Amino acid sequence: MACHPFPSPRERGGVRLFFIFMPHSLRHNLTSAYLDAARRLSPRQKRRRIVAYVESYDDVAFWRTLLSEFETDECYFQVMLPSQDSLSKGKKTVLLNTLNADELGSSLIACVDSDYDFLMQGATAQSRRINGNPFVLQTYAYAIENYLCYAESLHEVCVQSTLNDRQLLNFPEFMLRYSHVAYPLFLWNIWFYRHHDNTTFPMYEFNRCTCLQDVSLTHPYRCLEDMSRRVDAKLAELHARFPQDVEQVTALGEELEPLGLTPDTTYLYIQGHHLMDGVVMKLLNPVCTQLRREREKEIRRLAVHDEQLRNELTGYENSLAAVQLMLRKNDGYKGLFLYQWMREDVRRLLAMKG
């Protein structure tokens, strides 16, 4: 298992307590204390059930993958949405304002995307509610999509989609370069959000500057040159408008480094949907198209007659899978240091007495 270069955030102390709230329909019946009491009244039930609330259906598989590693003969997890009488989703459905902090505990936990809340480090009310609470598991990366787009796993996604193992693009090297280009502009985006300003340089404008356009496999890094021009233009504008903040934005980078954000890792902290749709899929689509064409060309070259050609092509086409589906099913992120942080959080949670 790959080692991570950063200590887990919870190992650095500074725990902040805050209040957790869940939908009214569950508030008065399903709490950690309720589940603990029910377990004590059911001596025949040998395994302790730990309910894990997640934000949406798409999150169930991800958190199930993590939590199932820690199931034993003594305990198991049940991953579910927090509302049983509506289709409400999202972090606000799991975490809302209340004065009641008794609902989460060793038998009832919340699992949420960090979004920017981890990097905010208490600068907002929601960040204060999430960071440091041992019964709230967070992704540390912006969202689950950032894990699915882990650079070291993208070649395997292409192989699963095309059944062709030829490497057309060095994904880790590409995402490293991408992160270096995006990093200085990302610091400005975080800077404004930390100061409760989401209009001067909003996330959608950062995304516009850092999306990929006209990806060419012949010259794959040319699209990064185009992106770099857009980033540099925006940086020049921000430096001209806010010269008094330039040094503080640079200092912010040093402050965020212990949280795992460096010029090498920026893509893990930007908006997950933007990363998936505006960056990674822009790479995977042409790569997989080319790999499929190569495999079909090989079949045509090796077929000895028309019937064999038709059978082989049909068999190959039936074995293919959409690259976006394979990306959604990707679980090659387990060596990522942020995933190790989440594992450590689960271990600490289970070590607490319920």
Side-chain angles (χ1 to χ4, degrees):
M1 188 63 63
C3 296
H4 59 78
F6 307 102
S8 168
R10 300 195 195 275
E11 292 176 346
R12 292 192 294 273
V15 173
R16 291 183 290 274
L17 297 181
F18 55 88
F19 301 114
I20 303 297
F21 167 81
M22 279 167 286
H24 181 82
S25 59
L26 294 178
R27 199 183 316 166
H28 301 293
N29 49 36
L30 188 54
T31 67
S32 183
Y34 174 88
L35 293 172
D36 287 339
R39 175 168 54 89
R40 287 190 291 269
L41 293 173
S42 304
R44 295 181 181 179
Q45 183 178 349
K46 297 181 181 180
R47 303 175 76 196
R48 176 164 66 103
R49 178 176 66 140
I50 302 175
V51 173
Y53 281 156
V54 299
E55 297 181 52
S56 70
Y57 294 116
D58 293 336
D59 298 341
V60 172
F62 176 85
W63 289 105
R64 182 68 202 161
T65 297
L66 170 67
L67 297 174
S68 63
E69 296 182 25
F70 298 91
E71 293 185 331
T72 65
D73 293 338
E74 286 75 36
C75 73
Y76 70 97
F77 292 90
Q78 182 180 3
V79 182
M80 57 190 293
L81 296 180
S83 178
Q84 295 179 334
D85 56 6
S86 77
L87 295 176
S88 299
K89 302 175 184 177
K91 182 186 293 185
K92 289 184 179 180
T93 304
V94 181
L95 305 173
L96 294 174
N97 297 322
T98 187
L99 296 178
N100 186 353
D102 298 328
E103 287 153 346
L104 295 186
S106 58
S107 292
L108 180 61
I109 64 176
C111 303
V112 299
D113 288 338
S114 291
D115 301 329
Y116 276 0
D117 293 320
F118 178 50
L119 298 182
M120 291 298 101
Q121 286 294 290
T124 66
Q126 183 161 275
S127 177
R128 290 191 293 272
R129 294 189 187 99
I130 293 175
N131 293 320
N133 188 296
F135 303 117
V136 177
L137 301 181
Q138 62 173 311
T139 54
Y140 295 117
Y142 185 95
I144 288 172
E145 286 80 6
N146 301 73
Y147 282 91
L148 301 179
C149 294
Y150 180 40
E152 300 289 341
S153 68
L154 294 180
H155 174 66
E156 182 64 24
V157 171
C158 293
V159 174
Q160 294 296 325
S161 177
T162 68
L163 307 182
N164 188 338
D165 196 21
R166 193 163 87 86
Q167 183 170 306
L168 295 181
L169 179 65
N170 187 330
F171 290 108
E173 174 64 23
F174 187 97
M175 296 309 299
L176 181 69
R177 295 193 191 186
Y178 174 88
S179 290
H180 275 253
V181 174
Y183 176 75
L185 194 58
F186 184 67
L187 290 181
W188 278 95
N189 191 231
I190 294 298
W191 168 260
F192 286 113
Y193 274 79
R194 273 200 169 196
H195 288 79
H196 310 283
D197 181 353
N198 57 3
T199 59
T200 299
F201 184 40
M203 186 184 297
Y204 71 82
E205 190 170 350
F206 170 81
N207 292 346
R208 181 185 59 79
C209 293
T210 57
C211 66
L212 297 184
Q213 299 175 355
D214 302 322
V215 176
S216 168
L217 296 183
T218 305
H219 303 285
Y221 297 104
R222 189 170 292 171
C223 61
L224 290 182
E225 296 173 2
D226 177 61
M227 170 185 154
S228 182
R229 285 190 288 270
R230 281 180 273 128
V231 168
D232 289 345
K234 189 62 183 180
L235 284 173
E237 175 193 328
L238 293 172
H239 287 188
R241 293 177 60 190
F242 308 99
Q244 71 280 4
D245 295 332
V246 172
E247 290 186 5
Q248 296 181 71
V249 172
T250 301
L252 176 62
E254 298 176 1
E255 178 185 341
L256 296 179
E257 185 172 349
L259 304 183
L261 176 63
T262 70
D264 291 354
T265 63
T266 308
Y267 79 97
L268 297 171
Y269 295 87
I270 69 178
Q271 187 185 42
H273 286 295
H274 165 64
L275 175 68
M276 178 174 284
D277 299 333
V279 181
V280 170
M281 285 303 300
K282 295 286 186 70
L283 299 173
L284 293 183
N285 279 328
V287 167
C288 289
T289 297
Q290 180 64 26
L291 290 174
R292 288 169 181 157
R293 287 173 179 170
E294 289 183 359
R295 182 64 75 212
E296 291 170 354
K297 184 177 180 180
E298 180 184 40
I299 292 174
R300 289 188 174 91
R301 179 176 62 85
L302 297 176
V304 295
H305 50 72
D306 290 345
E307 184 178 356
Q308 184 184 43
L309 174 61
R310 288 193 298 272
N311 290 341
E312 289 295 329
L313 285 176
T314 300
Y316 177 62
E317 291 171 0
N318 291 339
S319 300
L320 297 177
V323 62
Q324 189 162 23
L325 176 62
M326 290 297 98
L327 185 60
R328 287 287 180 184
K329 292 179 176 292
N330 181 26
D331 63 356
Y333 46 75
K334 295 182 180 180
L336 181 58
F337 69 93
L338 297 173
Y339 197 75
Q340 308 314 311
W341 287 1
M342 290 197 296
R343 279 185 169 132
E344 292 165 11
D345 289 344
V346 178
R347 292 189 187 100
R348 275 188 286 274
L349 185 150
L350 293 176
M352 300 174 67
K353 293 182 179 180

